[in-house]
């Protein structure tokens, strides 16, 4: 017999909180009939200065199945919060969650930039990514490197050796879910290895709070710049540009006069 849910939540406070936040955001998106184009991250929107989408895209999900899959994996990975003896634990989890959210999003944009400008795959300008999978794959990779003997349980029925889980899951989701973002998942794996191998290190509470403060500042500034909110104490010169986009929230699609929108689940 397993532990009561209450005790498991107490043992995984950070991951439980993130699961609750993602679930509430999903509910809000459904209730308000918000479209993917309103919260997702694409190369075009990032180049327009809508940097806030790096955050909103990570915590938003496009379907209940997408939400359940990501949160089930995240719940299993909550064991990281109990591994303080391996240099992990709750503080490490919170500190490097910030790192994974930001750096995996930036790496996705870097991949898009290379594909657009070097490989000439223009459609990547309009691929819109949403979902917490980048962070999930990052934590999966960190746990695989730190404790390769661990098992990753998905939905309570599928158990994967954690040492192979990142790449097994990468291949599995790419085959089973055609819309899954291979680039998003791969970005999470790369950042995860960078953290696990010590290439990205030195995070502590001071740097985590400082980084969070800058994220909030840039988030609010870019929202103001893109005209999504009105803040009297921030003055930004308006830019008028016709881009030929019509957003239809009711149908949850973004219609473009010439080119289609693609949605990638991450």
């Amino acid at each position: 017999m397993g532990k009561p849910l209450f005790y498991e939540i107490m043992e995984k406070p950070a991951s439980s909180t993130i699961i609750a936040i993602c679930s509430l955001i999903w509910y809000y998106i459904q209730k308000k009939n918000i479209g993917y184009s309103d919260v997702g991250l694409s190369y075009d929107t990032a180049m327009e200065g809508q940097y806030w989408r790096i955050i909103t895209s990570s915590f938003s999900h496009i379907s209940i199945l997408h939400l359940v899959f990501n949160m089930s994996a995240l719940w299993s990975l909550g064991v990281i919060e109990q591994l303080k003896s391996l240099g992990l634990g709750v503080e490490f989890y919170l500190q490097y969650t910030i790192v994974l959210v930001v750096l995996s999003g930036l790496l996705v944009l870097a991949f898009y930039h290379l594909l657009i400008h070097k490989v000439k795959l223009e459609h990547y300008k309009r691929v819109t990514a949403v979902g917490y999978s980048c962070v999930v794959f990052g934590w999966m990779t960190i746990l695989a490197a730190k404790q390769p003997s661990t098992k990753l349980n998905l939905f309570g029925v599928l158990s994967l050796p954690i040492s192979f889980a990142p790449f097994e899951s990468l291949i599995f989701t790419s085959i089973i879910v055609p819309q899954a973002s291979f680039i998003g998942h791969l970005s999470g794996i790369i950042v995860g290895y960078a953290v696990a191998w010590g290439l990205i290190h030195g995070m502590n509470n001071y740097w985590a709070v400082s980084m969070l403060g800058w994220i909030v500042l840039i988030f609010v500034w870019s929202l103001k710049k893109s005209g999504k909110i009105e803040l009297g104490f921030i003055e930004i010169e308006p830019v008028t540009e016709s881009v030929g986009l019509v957003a239809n929230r009711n149908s949850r699609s973004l219609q473009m006069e010439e080119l289609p929108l693609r949605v990638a689940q991450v």
Side-chain angles (χ1 to χ4, degrees), residues 65-66 68-70 73 132-134 136-137 140 152 154-155 158 160 164-187 189 263-266:
L65 183 62
H66 188 203
V68 170
F69 184 84
N70 279 351
Y132 202 70
S133 298
C134 286
V136 169
F137 272 78
M140 201 182 297
L152 178 67
L154 297 176
F155 305 112
L158 181 62
L160 300 174
F164 301 109
F167 296 102
E168 287 175 344
S169 299
L170 181 65
I171 295 169
F172 175 78
T173 53
S174 297
I175 294 173
I176 301 301
V177 186
Q179 284 186 313
S181 174
F182 181 89
I183 291 174
H185 297 168
L186 181 61
S187 297
I189 291 174
V263 177
Q265 301 180 27
V266 296

Side-chain angles (χ1 to χ4, degrees), residues 74-89:
L74 189 64
W75 176 257
S76 183
L77 291 165
V79 68
I80 291 168
E81 298 182 59
Q82 304 166 34
L83 298 176
K84 194 169 183 179
S85 59
L86 295 179
L88 303 177

Side-chain angles (χ1 to χ4, degrees), residues 110-248:
F111 274 125
Y112 285 170
H113 181 83
L114 290 174
L115 290 169
I116 293 164
H117 296 285
K118 299 299 181 182
V119 190
K120 305 303 180 183
L121 297 176
E122 294 291 324
H123 70 274
Y124 276 101
K125 288 183 178 181
R126 304 172 305 280
V127 174
T128 301
V130 287
Y132 202 70
S133 298
C134 286
V135 182
V136 169
F137 272 78
W139 280 123
M140 201 182 297
T141 303
I142 292 169
L143 186 59
K146 296 287 188 179
Q147 196 176 49
S149 60
T150 304
K151 296 278 188 180
L152 178 67
N153 296 307
L154 297 176
F155 305 112
V157 294
L158 181 62
S159 181
L160 300 174
I162 193 64
S163 55
F164 301 109
F167 296 102
E168 287 175 344
S169 299
L170 181 65
I171 295 169
F172 175 78
T173 53
S174 297
I175 294 173
I176 301 301
V177 186
Q179 284 186 313
S181 174
F182 181 89
I183 291 174
H185 297 168
L186 181 61
S187 297
I189 291 174
I190 292 172
V191 178
Y193 275 123
V195 172
W197 293 344
L199 301 177
I200 299 173
H201 64 281
M203 283 293 288
N204 53 37
N205 289 337
Y206 171 79
W207 287 113
V209 171
S210 298
M211 188 175 179
L212 185 60
W214 278 106
I215 290 170
V216 171
L217 182 63
I218 294 170
F219 184 90
V220 174
W221 174 80
S222 60
L223 271 174
K224 168 68 176 179
K225 182 181 177 182
S226 60
K228 297 296 182 181
I229 59 173
E230 293 295 331
L231 295 175
F233 57 88
I234 300 179
E235 294 298 333
I236 298 175
E237 290 297 324
V239 177
T240 304
E241 181 180 0
S242 176
V243 294
L245 302 184
V246 179
N248 185 335

Side-chain angles (χ1 to χ4, degrees), residues 246-263:
V246 179
N248 185 335
R249 295 191 179 189
N250 292 328
S251 61
R252 298 191 180 203
S253 64
L254 183 66
Q255 301 174 355
M256 304 185 72
E257 289 182 352
E258 298 178 358
L259 299 170
L261 171 74
R262 300 192 178 202
V263 177

Side-chain angles (χ1 to χ4, degrees), residues 51-62:
Y51 308 125
W52 52 269
R53 291 178 178 269
I54 292 175
I55 306 302
T56 60
S57 63
S58 292
F59 292 93
S60 303
H61 292 81
I62 66 176

